[in-house]
Amino acid sequence: MAEPRVPGSEGADIELPCGETVAVHDLDMGLREYDCSCGDAHAVVMDVHPLGRFVPEFLGDVLRETIETADEFPEFTTAHVMGIVMEEFPEAVVSEDLSEEGSVGYSMLWLADFDARRLHEVVVELLVELMDHAVSHADDDEATDQFEQWLHEFDVAAFVEQYREEREFETEHDSAV
C-alpha cells in the first residue's frame, strides 16, 4: 500500500486501482494513459483536460449550456464527467486532489482500472444516458421520438473509434473537432 501523500512532497505516490503506485510527477498533463508495472494500461484524466477529449466541442458547448452545476464549478466540466464515471464504477477509478501540489499543473487527477479507449467508451455511454434522461423529461414528443431513433442507431464503439482518429493531435496547436 502507498504511503500517504504529503502535498508538495517530491515523488509523492498515488495508488492505482490495481494496487500499484505511480509518482505524481510521472503523470504530465499530456498523458492520457499510464502503462503500469501490473501489465495493464490505466486511463489518466486531469481536470485540465477539456470535454473535447471525449466528445465534439459542439456537444461540450451544449452540455455546458444546459446542465446546471451545484458545486464550485461554474459550468459542466471534465470533473463532472469523471464524477459520473466514479458513481458507476467506484472500485475502478481513483481520484486525487492535487490542488496544493503546485508543480504538476493540474488540480484533480483520476486514474482508471481500464485503458483510455475503454474510458472513452464509458464516458460516451454515460453522457448518452444523461442526454436520454434529459430528453425523457422534455414536453416535446417529436424531439423525444427523434432522439430515441438516433439513440437506437448510435454505435458507441464506432463513434469512439472515429472520434479518436479525427482528434488525434499532431501538435499543441491542434484543437478538438
Side-chain angles (χ1 to χ4, degrees):
M1 180 172 249
E3 292 294 317
R5 194 187 67 72
V6 178
S9 64
E10 291 299 318
D13 288 341
I14 297 172
E15 187 170 349
L16 296 161
C18 66
E20 297 291 329
T21 59
V22 60
V24 66
H25 289 92
D26 289 344
L27 305 172
D28 65 65
M29 290 188 294
L31 191 65
R32 301 295 188 261
E33 195 167 77
Y34 175 73
D35 291 322
C36 184
S37 60
C38 76
D40 290 334
H42 299 284
V44 176
V45 180
M46 298 163 189
D47 60 334
V48 295
H49 294 167
L51 289 174
R53 172 177 173 179
F54 301 108
V55 295
E57 286 301 316
F58 80 87
L59 186 53
D61 291 342
V62 169
L63 293 168
R64 284 186 290 274
E65 290 172 18
T66 56
I67 297 175
E68 292 182 25
T69 60
D71 54 26
E72 69 272 15
F73 298 100
E75 62 186 19
F76 190 77
T77 67
T78 299
H80 296 100
V81 168
M82 291 310 296
I84 295 168
V85 173
M86 288 182 71
E87 282 183 31
E88 288 293 318
F89 300 94
E91 301 298 318
V93 181
V94 295
S95 66
E96 189 76 25
D97 182 349
L98 297 165
S99 56
E100 295 187 30
E101 181 73 51
S103 63
V104 294
Y106 50 89
S107 296
M108 288 298 300
L109 171 70
W110 296 269
L111 297 153
D113 200 26
F114 27 79
D115 65 18
R117 180 183 174 77
R118 178 65 186 132
L119 175 64
H120 196 160
E121 290 175 351
V122 165
V123 166
V124 170
E125 289 167 359
L126 293 173
L127 288 176
V128 167
E129 284 180 26
L130 180 69
M131 291 184 293
D132 185 37
H133 178 75
V135 169
S136 73
H137 290 288
D139 292 331
D140 185 342
D141 290 338
E142 185 178 329
T144 302
D145 292 343
Q146 198 172 27
F147 185 81
E148 290 298 326
Q149 180 180 349
W150 172 83
L151 190 58
H152 179 70
E153 297 169 5
F154 186 68
D155 182 335
V156 171
F159 167 82
V160 168
E161 181 67 30
Q162 181 179 355
Y163 188 70
R164 290 173 75 85
E165 285 177 18
E166 289 179 8
R167 72 156 179 91
E168 188 62 47
F169 301 143
E170 295 179 16
T171 73
E172 69 275 9
H173 303 292
D174 290 342
S175 62
V177 291

